[in-house]
Amino acid sequence: MAAQQSVGADPYFPDNGDPRYRVHRYELALDYRPGPNRLSGTARINAIAGRSPLTEFQLNLADFKIGRVRLDGRQPHYTHRGGRLRVKPAKPIRPGAAFTVEVHWSGNPKPVGSPWGGLGWEELEDGALVASQPVGAPSWYPCNDRPADKASYQISITTPSAYAVVAGGRLLTRTTKASTTTWVYEQSAPTSSYLVGLSIGKYQTVLLGDPGPGGVPQHGHIPAHLLPQFSRDFARQPQMMELFQELFGPYPFDEYAVVVTEEELDVPVEAQGLSLFGANHVDGARGSERLVAHELAHQWFGNSVSIADWRHIWLNEGFAKYAEWLWSERSGGRTAQQLAAAAHRLLASQAQDLKLADPGRKLMFDDRLYQRGGLTVHALRCAMGDDPFFRMLRGWTALHRGGAVSTTTFTAHATRFASEPLEELFDAWLYGTSLPPLPSPVTALPVKPPYPPGAGASA
C-alpha cells in the first residue's frame, strides 16, 4: 500500500479536515428511521497524532445534537459550531501517539451547503442516499473530511426491516430483531471520507454475470419494476470489468455494487466499491452506458488511488472520462481518437481559462475539466505509444493503491515510462489554459465481441 502524502489544509476547502492527525479506522453504529428522517449514531474513531503535540484537534460534523464526546475514555473539553467539533485534550497528545475519540450524535440529517447545492445525506421519498463529493460526509457522521486522510470503516446500520441497506464494502452480517434489521459492512481498504457510500431503500438484489473463481462479485440493487431495463443497461458491466483489469490492473477492492434509486439524479455518484445511479439512468437502451464505464473506472482512479487535495481532481475525472473512450473503442463504438476529436471541437468553441492542474474551486466540476482531462490522457497515450502507456497505468495503480497522490507525482511517474521527454506536453495540457492541437491518432484497441443477447443480471 502506498503511503499517504502528508499535506496541509486543502486550499479549496480550508475549513474541512485537520492535517494535524490522521485517522486509522472508523467504527460507526447508526440507527435510521426513514419516516421521521431520524438518525442517531455512535462513532469510534482510532487516530494517530502528527509530528507535533496535539493540543486540540477538530472533526467535521453538521448541525446535530451531541450526546457525549470521549477521548481515550475520558471527557475532554469540546465545542461544536459551524460544522466543526473541536476537541481539547486535558493534556497534549504526544507526536505519533494513537488515540481514540468516541462521539454520540443525533438529529435529522440533511445535505450540507456548498457552491453546488446540498451535498451528503439526502432524504428520498422512501429511503435515503449519501452523495458526498466533495465535502458532504459531515452531513451524517463526524470525520476528518479531507481526501488524503484514508481509513478503514466498519458501518452498522439499523433500519425498519422493509428497507435494504447498501454500503461500500463487504456485508458481514444482517440480523433481524422484531421489526428492525441491522446491517454490518466492512470496508478494509483505505477510504476517503467523501467516498463512504450508503443507500437505504426497497431494492431487489441481482448478480451481474458470473465472476467465476477469483473473479470480482458484482451486484445490482434496484427497484423491482426497473429490473428489465437494468438487465440490459448494465449487461456489459462485467465485460467492462474485464477490460479495465486488463488495461488498469487488478480491481482494487473485494467486490463492486451498483444501486439504482427510485428517484432521478443529475449525475451518478461514485463511492468506494459502490456507485449510485438514478432511475433516469436506466432506459433499457443502454443510453447511459458511458456513465456505467465512468463510475466503474473511478474505483481505480479516485477511489483506490486518491488525490492529496482537490486541486488534483483531474486525476480522478480525466482518467474516468478516458475510460469511457477506451470502453467505446474496445466494444465496437467510436474510437478514442474520434471521441477525442469531438471533445477537442467542443473545447475549441468554449472559453479557454481553465488550468487543469489547478482549476480553482469554482471550476473543479466544470465539464471542460472532464473533457480536457480525457484529452490530456489521450495526448499522453499518443506520445508514449500503447505498450508503455498501459504499462505506466498499471504501474500507477499498483504503486499508489490505497494512497493519495498529486499531479506532480503523476507526471514524474509517467516520465519514467516514456522514451521521449514529456515536459512540453504536460506544460501545455496541464499548466497552460489555451487548447493545444488535437493529438495525432493512435491505433485503436482491438474490438472484442459484446455479450450475447440476454446476458446480464440474474436474481
Side-chain angles (χ1 to χ4, degrees):
M1 183 192 305
Q4 294 182 24
Q5 289 200 355
S6 177
V7 293
D10 193 300
Y12 292 3
F13 303 98
D15 291 338
N16 281 64
D18 188 336
R20 295 172 292 183
Y21 72 98
R22 61 184 178 88
V23 177
H24 170 68
R25 182 170 174 81
Y26 292 86
E27 294 177 353
L28 307 178
L30 310 173
D31 186 290
Y32 180 65
R33 304 303 157 121
N37 185 38
R38 183 74 180 175
L39 178 70
S40 60
T42 300
R44 183 178 176 85
I45 303 168
N46 298 321
I48 300 170
R51 297 178 179 177
S52 302
L54 209 53
T55 57
E56 67 145 19
F57 60 92
Q58 74 171 35
L59 293 159
N60 294 105
L61 180 63
D63 186 22
F64 289 98
K65 178 183 178 182
I66 302 294
R68 70 176 187 182
V69 177
R70 294 290 184 270
L71 177 59
D72 291 331
R74 299 183 178 183
Q75 183 173 336
H77 178 73
Y78 70 88
T79 60
H80 179 225
R81 54 179 174 266
R84 287 186 277 186
L85 176 61
R86 297 182 182 274
V87 180
K88 187 172 184 178
K91 60 180 182 179
I93 300 171
R94 291 179 290 104
F99 61 96
T100 300
V101 188
E102 189 176 296
V103 182
H104 296 235
W105 75 101
S106 61
N108 300 106
K110 60 183 179 181
V112 295
S114 82
W116 308 277
L119 299 172
W121 189 284
E122 185 173 341
E123 181 186 9
L124 304 177
E125 285 188 14
D126 196 17
L129 64 80
V130 168
S132 291
Q133 187 179 19
V135 289
S139 67
W140 65 289
Y141 75 101
C143 56
N144 190 14
D145 191 32
R146 49 202 298 265
D149 193 12
K150 304 175 71 171
S152 67
Y153 282 78
Q154 186 174 104
I155 305 176
S156 168
I157 307 177
T158 300
T159 61
S161 296
Y163 294 87
V165 175
V166 185
R170 186 162 54 95
L171 178 62
L172 298 183
T173 61
R174 183 177 64 189
T175 308
T176 298
K177 292 182 179 179
S179 61
T180 64
T181 298
T182 300
W183 307 66
V184 181
Y185 283 87
E186 174 74 27
Q187 177 57 270
S188 57
T191 306
S192 301
S193 51
Y194 83 94
L195 288 171
V196 182
L198 178 65
S199 184
I200 299 170
K202 296 175 179 176
Y203 301 125
Q204 182 169 334
T205 299
V206 298
L207 179 67
L208 281 157
D210 179 3
V216 180
Q218 300 175 62
H219 289 92
H221 307 272
I222 65 270
H225 69 93
L226 291 176
L227 181 57
Q229 299 95 316
F230 176 88
S231 296
R232 176 168 174 76
D233 290 335
F234 285 77
R236 301 206 292 182
Q237 183 180 282
Q239 193 180 8
M240 293 176 191
M241 180 71 79
E242 292 175 14
L243 174 64
F244 292 169
Q245 290 196 96
E246 173 193 332
L247 300 181
F248 307 151
Y251 179 73
F253 308 116
D254 293 332
E255 51 192 76
Y256 182 57
V258 293
V259 173
V260 177
T261 73
E262 283 274 15
E263 300 184 26
E264 295 190 357
L265 300 179
D266 290 340
V267 292
V269 180
E270 76 267 17
Q272 187 131 316
L274 171 70
S275 294
L276 301 167
F277 293 81
N280 52 309
H281 299 124
V282 177
D283 60 8
R286 293 180 178 156
S288 296
E289 190 172 76
R290 71 170 185 86
L291 299 176
V292 177
H294 185 105
E295 301 309 320
L296 176 57
H298 271 310
Q299 303 305 319
W300 286 263
F301 303 105
N303 299 6
S304 176
V305 182
S306 302
I307 49 177
D309 63 59
W310 290 106
R311 289 174 297 182
H312 312 292
I313 188 172
W314 84 272
L315 288 169
N316 297 357
E317 301 303 344
F319 280 99
K321 171 58 71 174
Y322 199 62
E324 297 176 28
W325 300 354
L326 290 171
W327 166 249
S328 174
E329 183 171 284
R330 172 60 68 93
S331 62
R334 287 191 289 172
T335 66
Q337 184 66 31
Q338 291 169 327
L339 290 164
H344 195 273
R345 287 193 298 271
L346 178 65
L347 288 174
S349 69
Q350 297 175 330
Q352 296 179 26
D353 59 354
L354 181 143
K355 184 167 77 170
L356 197 60
D358 188 3
R361 188 169 80 167
K362 184 178 178 181
L363 297 179
M364 61 183 283
F365 294 118
D366 193 291
D367 185 61
R368 291 173 296 160
L369 180 134
Y370 294 64
Q371 302 292 346
R372 187 174 178 121
L375 274 167
T376 300
V377 179
H378 187 65
L380 189 58
R381 179 185 173 195
C382 293
M384 295 178 69
D386 272 11
D387 183 59
F389 172 77
F390 287 110
R391 279 193 294 112
M392 180 274 295
L393 280 193
R394 289 189 291 271
W396 175 251
T397 61
L399 180 62
H400 297 287
R401 180 171 178 163
V405 297
S406 67
T407 298
T408 302
T409 316
F410 176 73
T411 56
H413 174 84
T415 298
R416 290 196 289 271
F417 289 79
S419 58
E420 301 290 337
L422 297 173
E423 286 85 354
E424 288 187 8
L425 184 153
F426 288 135
D427 283 346
W429 284 100
L430 295 175
Y431 299 102
T433 56
S434 60
L435 183 63
L438 178 68
S440 300
V442 291
T443 303
L445 294 171
V447 173
K448 283 190 174 180
Y451 280 130
S458 60

